Amino acid sequence: MWKRIKIYVSRLFDVYCREFKIVLHDEGIMLFFLFLPLAYPVIYSLIYNPEVVRDVKMVVVDHDRSQKSRELVRNIDATEEAWVIGYAADMPEARKAVNSHECYGILEIPDGFGRKLGNGEQANAVMYCEASLLLRYRGFLMATTDVMAAMGAELMSERINEIAPLAATVVDGDLMPIESVAMGNIESGFDSFIMPGVLILILHQCIILATGMAGGAKREYPEKEGLINGRVGSGVITTMLGSMLCYITILFIPTIFLVHYVPLIFAFPMENHIIDILAFLLPMVLACFGVGFCLQGVVKERETVFVIWVVTSLAFLFLSGLTWPRYAMSPFWYFVSDLIPATWGVEGFIRMNTNGATLAQVQSDYIALWILAGAYLVAGYCVQRWVVRPSLVKGYDAYTAVRANSF
């Protein structure tokens, strides 16, 4: 019994060391294992940082030149989102300022704005925004909406006081103040909204693509797989287990950096312990290994992985529910998204790390990940045994024949 265990552990260690040699001598695999989880999250986070835009420049075209129009401009300029840099004589001049990037928005106040407000009529002001960055549009929209609502409430209070002066004692002040607080994203920043999910997608992609590229490297160099007399020395399960242990060893530090230190550096919401996060991500990592082993069945050259990377990256992003909610997807695409480990990983990670959910509160996501892990590892075993192994043996025979003829 102990002798068999010792032999199995020895074979497992041989596979572990052999996989280490393959990974360390392959720049492409190291690119996915190290550069992708270490550099990509930092680059993406810097792109979206700062999370909100403040004091975005705008010009005003005031056709009214009344007290109310000047008050509107002063109030908008006082907000943290907008910065009124000056007035333009007309719209062509204002458009010229926008086209030359001197400003990014135009506030046009029509003639009669102040008169209509004084008569209790509806008065409109038009906001134009350069749409190269939606965060600017969002800032302008919030600034103008808040200012117009506040001015409207003030005018309404003045009219009520004119009609019934004693009513001021009843309606004075805001009886039901509204305060909007975004759960898990206090600053309502774009970076804190999208990057926690992107971090999981990066981990998902780097595991699948690196495992797939390792299969391509073995097919290109079958002599590195440890074949003995045309047969692989270790069993399929032993080879898969040794490979996963090797990959986990290499990915351990990058994964901690990805899911813990990147949110810490960029001040993303962090409401859970790293141990709970790693426990949740374990089945997703195993499922990704299973997908990678299945991918090895079609990856005959290392470069094929880069094509797969380009094709699948956007698809995984859209299907994860980050850019479009999953409940709004058609039944077909909802089913497809259920088959992607990153979908459940993104949902659970955001709930745990952003909103402070416990492992028990993401039980459905956790169970789904374990089911996918089991299914994909079984599928990976089948691909490795009946597709990859015969291909490696055939490639090794061809390599041996070419080497024998060369002598």
Side-chain angles (χ1 to χ4, degrees):
M1 179 66 178
W2 288 107
K3 185 176 181 180
R4 291 182 179 179
I5 295 176
K6 185 177 180 181
I7 293 173
Y8 182 78
V9 172
S10 176
R11 290 179 178 176
L12 185 64
F13 184 72
D14 290 339
V15 175
Y16 180 85
C17 295
R18 187 172 68 241
E19 288 293 329
F20 246 113
K21 292 179 180 178
I22 294 175
V23 171
L24 294 178
H25 289 83
D26 193 303
E27 296 83 358
I29 301 177
M30 293 300 294
L31 175 72
F32 287 123
F33 272 144
L34 296 180
F35 179 78
L36 200 63
L38 294 178
Y40 261 48
V42 176
I43 295 173
Y44 286 166
S45 299
L46 288 175
I47 291 174
Y48 297 122
N49 195 280
E51 301 189 55
V52 294
V53 292
R54 305 183 190 277
D55 290 332
V56 183
K57 297 178 181 179
M58 65 179 297
V59 296
V60 177
V61 180
D62 189 356
H63 299 292
D64 190 52
R65 297 290 180 174
S66 64
Q67 179 186 355
K68 288 299 181 182
S69 66
R70 290 191 292 271
E71 181 182 351
L72 173 64
V73 174
R74 286 196 304 269
N75 291 339
I76 292 179
D77 187 41
T79 63
E80 63 178 9
E81 291 87 5
W83 175 22
V84 178
I85 62 173
Y87 287 81
D90 50 25
M91 286 300 295
E93 182 181 345
R95 290 194 185 98
K96 184 178 179 180
V98 172
N99 293 334
S100 60
H101 298 291
E102 296 178 11
C103 65
Y104 301 96
I106 303 171
L107 176 65
E108 184 182 19
I109 304 176
D111 187 18
F113 178 82
R115 185 182 67 256
K116 289 181 179 180
L117 289 179
N119 295 333
E121 302 176 10
Q122 182 176 355
N124 297 322
V126 184
M127 169 64 70
Y128 301 91
C129 178
E130 190 250 5
S132 62
L133 184 64
L134 291 180
L135 288 177
R136 297 194 190 110
Y137 167 76
R138 173 177 173 269
F140 283 142
L141 180 64
M142 291 179 60
T144 53
T145 302
D146 293 343
V147 168
M148 295 292 283
M151 288 186 64
E154 182 180 351
L155 291 172
M156 182 62 69
S157 178
E158 292 177 358
R159 289 186 62 82
I160 292 176
N161 290 338
E162 292 176 359
I163 298 172
L166 294 179
T169 60
V170 179
V171 300
D172 189 28
D174 191 353
L175 300 180
M176 297 182 63
I178 299 175
E179 183 178 359
S180 177
V181 178
M183 295 180 60
N185 189 359
I186 304 301
E187 294 186 1
S188 298
F190 187 75
D191 212 1
S192 295
F193 164 71
I194 197 170
M195 278 307 299
V198 172
L199 296 178
I200 302 303
L201 287 170
I202 291 175
L203 179 62
H204 177 269
Q205 286 291 81
C206 80
I207 294 175
I208 293 178
L209 297 175
T211 307
M213 180 172 281
K218 294 174 184 178
R219 291 198 180 191
E220 291 182 4
Y221 308 102
E223 70 277 7
K224 295 183 179 181
E225 181 62 12
L227 280 76
I228 302 175
N229 296 326
R231 294 185 177 181
V232 181
S234 304
V236 176
I237 296 180
T238 304
T239 302
M240 292 175 61
L241 184 58
S243 300
M244 287 190 291
L245 290 175
C246 169
Y247 302 155
I248 289 175
T249 303
I250 299 173
L251 275 174
F252 184 72
I253 299 299
T255 301
I256 293 180
F257 174 79
L258 187 70
V259 301
H260 182 71
Y261 285 102
V262 170
L264 190 64
I265 293 171
F266 293 96
F268 298 154
M270 296 180 63
E271 300 293 338
N272 219 309
H273 196 273
I274 182 63
I275 301 300
D276 295 332
I277 297 296
L278 293 178
F280 173 78
L281 293 178
L282 177 61
M284 193 199 81
V285 171
L286 296 178
C288 291
F289 283 136
V291 176
F293 288 132
C294 294
L295 190 62
Q296 290 182 0
V298 297
V299 176
K300 299 182 180 180
E301 297 177 352
R302 296 163 60 253
E303 292 77 9
T304 307
V305 171
F306 290 98
V307 179
I308 297 174
W309 183 12
V310 173
V311 172
T312 59
S313 294
L314 282 178
F316 289 158
L317 174 64
F318 292 141
L319 292 174
S320 66
L322 277 176
T323 58
W324 184 259
R326 293 184 67 224
Y327 62 79
M329 295 180 183
S330 64
F332 172 77
W333 291 114
Y334 191 91
F335 172 75
V336 173
S337 66
D338 284 343
L339 302 179
I340 301 174
T343 300
W344 303 100
V346 167
E347 289 186 1
F349 179 75
I350 290 177
R351 291 176 184 174
M352 294 182 68
N353 204 50
T354 302
N355 294 330
T358 63
L359 198 59
Q361 290 173 325
V362 294
Q363 183 179 10
S364 59
D365 301 316
Y366 197 50
I367 293 175
L369 284 174
W370 277 113
I371 294 174
L372 288 179
Y376 281 126
L377 287 175
V378 171
Y381 171 83
C382 297
V383 172
Q384 292 291 314
R385 180 169 182 177
W386 286 294
V387 178
V388 177
R389 282 297 176 90
S391 177
L392 290 176
V393 172
K394 184 178 179 180
Y396 181 79
D397 292 340
Y399 167 80
T400 305
V402 170
R403 187 175 181 183
N405 291 333
S406 64
F407 288 103

